[in-house]
Amino acid sequence: MSNLITAFEKYFKIIPANVVDSKNRFHRLRYQVYSQELQLPDFEAWRYPDGREIDEYDNRSICSLLYHRESKNLAGGVRLVLCNSDDPLQPFPIEEHAGHYFDKNLVVPNQLPRRTTAEITRLMLARNFRCRGQEALYAHGMDDSNIKDSRSDSRRQFPHPILGLLVALVRMSSECGITHWYAGMEPVLNRRLRQFGANLKPIGPLVEYHGGRRPYLDTIDNVLGRMFRENRAFWELITNHGKLYPDSVKKLSERECRVQILKQGLF
C-alpha cells in the first residue's frame, strides 16, 4: 500500500485550479485536448478564439490539475460540476443532454439529493500521457490495450495517471460534501475504471454526446466500498488512508453482515 502512495507522491502533485492562473491552465489544456487534438463535435477551434475551452457549467464547478514532477508539465485535469445552489433543479450536463434516455427504474433526477450530487466532467490527460496503443483517441487515455506498468517509462511506474485524477476527484468531492456522482463516459473508460474498483453504474443506453457516451450514476460510498474490498492499495491512496469518506467502509461492512445473516437464515 505504502509503495503506491510513495510512487504517487514521487511523480505527481494535485493542484487545485481555484485561482486565475491555474484556471486558465485548465481551460487551455481542455482546448488543446478536445479542440486541437481530438477535434470533437461542438469543440471547434473557432468557438474559442483565446485558446481556452470554457462553457456554461464552469461558473458552478470546481476543478483540479495533475502535475508531473519529473517533466514539470501538466499531466491532466478533471472538473466537478456542482448543483446550482440558487436553483437545485437546474439540470446537470448529462441530464440536459441525455436525461430523456435515463432508465426511470434506476434514477429520477428530481428525487436525488441534488445539493450533494455532482457530475464528473472534463476528465482528461495531456497528450504525452496518452501515447500508447489507441490511448491518443481518448481524452482520458484509457483504451482497451494493456496498461500495466512499464519499467522503461517513469510515467507508468505509477499504475496509470488516471488514478491521480481519481485522487483529485475524491479530494474535491470530500471538500464539498458530495455523496453522488453523475458521469457521461465512453463505456471503455468505465470498463477501465473497474480495474481500480472505481466504475459507476450505467443508468441509460449509449447516446451521442460529444461522441458515443453512456450516462452513469453511483454513490461515492458504493464506489469506495467496492474499492476497499477489491483494491485496498488504491483505496488507501484515494481516501488518504481512510480519512476521506470513512463511512464508506462502515456501510460496506454493514451490508456484508446483512448478506451473511440472510445466507445463514438468521433474519
Side-chain angles (χ1 to χ4, degrees):
M1 295 181 188
S2 60
N3 289 341
L4 181 63
I5 295 171
T6 299
F8 174 73
E9 293 176 347
K10 177 181 179 180
Y11 293 111
F12 294 104
K13 178 173 70 172
I14 293 170
I15 302 174
N18 53 10
V19 297
V20 172
D21 178 64
S22 56
K23 285 182 178 179
N24 282 335
R25 294 175 76 187
F26 184 59
H27 294 315
R28 286 194 290 268
L29 181 61
R30 284 161 49 174
Y31 173 79
Q32 182 64 34
V33 172
Y34 292 103
S35 180
Q36 296 295 288
E37 296 169 6
L38 299 180
Q39 299 183 2
L40 295 179
D42 301 322
F43 288 92
E44 292 83 3
W46 62 264
R47 299 176 185 272
Y48 314 106
D50 64 354
R52 298 181 303 155
E53 190 269 301
I54 300 174
D55 66 17
E56 66 271 28
Y57 301 107
D58 281 304
N59 60 7
R60 49 184 273 210
S61 301
I62 56 175
C63 45
S64 292
L65 293 163
L66 186 66
Y67 175 80
H68 186 239
R69 296 179 187 273
E70 185 175 6
S71 67
K72 296 181 173 58
N73 290 321
L74 292 180
V78 62
R79 179 177 72 169
L80 200 60
V81 178
L82 305 175
C83 169
N84 185 312
S85 58
D86 296 325
D87 181 12
L89 291 180
Q90 188 174 99
F92 287 95
I94 195 63
E95 291 176 340
E96 184 171 352
H97 295 280
H100 51 293
Y101 292 111
F102 288 0
D103 185 335
K104 298 303 187 291
N105 293 317
L106 299 175
V107 58
V108 178
N110 62 14
Q111 293 180 7
L112 287 172
R114 298 190 68 81
R115 294 186 183 276
T116 60
T117 297
E119 182 173 341
I120 304 165
T121 68
R122 300 300 190 269
L123 189 149
M124 61 186 175
L125 295 175
R127 187 177 184 89
N128 286 344
F129 292 84
R130 47 185 180 86
C131 54
R132 296 182 176 184
Q134 300 297 307
E135 291 179 345
L137 300 178
Y138 303 95
H140 45 76
M142 299 287 279
D143 68 349
D144 277 324
S145 64
N146 191 330
I147 62 168
K148 292 182 179 179
D149 299 356
S150 171
R151 296 182 184 275
S152 64
D153 187 343
S154 66
R155 294 170 301 175
R156 295 301 171 82
Q157 289 178 15
F158 185 71
H160 195 281
I162 207 74
L163 186 56
L165 295 180
L166 294 180
V167 175
L169 182 61
V170 170
R171 289 184 186 180
M172 290 191 295
S173 298
S174 177
E175 291 170 0
C176 294
I178 301 303
T179 60
H180 290 65
W181 279 332
Y182 263 133
M185 299 184 287
E186 295 111 329
V188 63
L189 175 56
N190 203 48
R191 288 196 299 272
R192 277 317 203 174
L193 290 178
R194 188 177 296 119
Q195 76 185 70
F196 304 128
N199 53 300
L200 306 182
K201 294 179 181 177
I203 56 171
L206 193 70
V207 299
E208 179 58 33
Y209 174 36
H210 303 318
R213 283 169 169 74
R214 195 172 185 184
Y216 297 86
L217 174 70
D218 217 327
T219 69
I220 298 177
D221 281 345
N222 281 345
V223 174
L224 296 181
R226 288 195 298 271
M227 187 179 295
F228 178 83
R229 183 178 61 240
E230 300 171 9
N231 295 282
R232 188 69 58 86
F234 295 152
W235 178 87
E236 289 277 353
L237 170 65
I238 285 175
T239 66
N240 189 19
H241 304 283
K243 295 176 183 177
L244 305 178
Y245 293 100
D247 286 346
S248 62
V249 177
K250 179 181 178 182
K251 291 178 181 179
L252 172 65
S253 299
E254 291 173 348
R255 286 197 299 271
E256 290 180 339
C257 286
R258 286 197 295 271
V259 170
Q260 291 302 317
I261 289 173
L262 289 172
K263 286 182 177 179
Q264 297 171 25
L266 299 178
F267 181 77

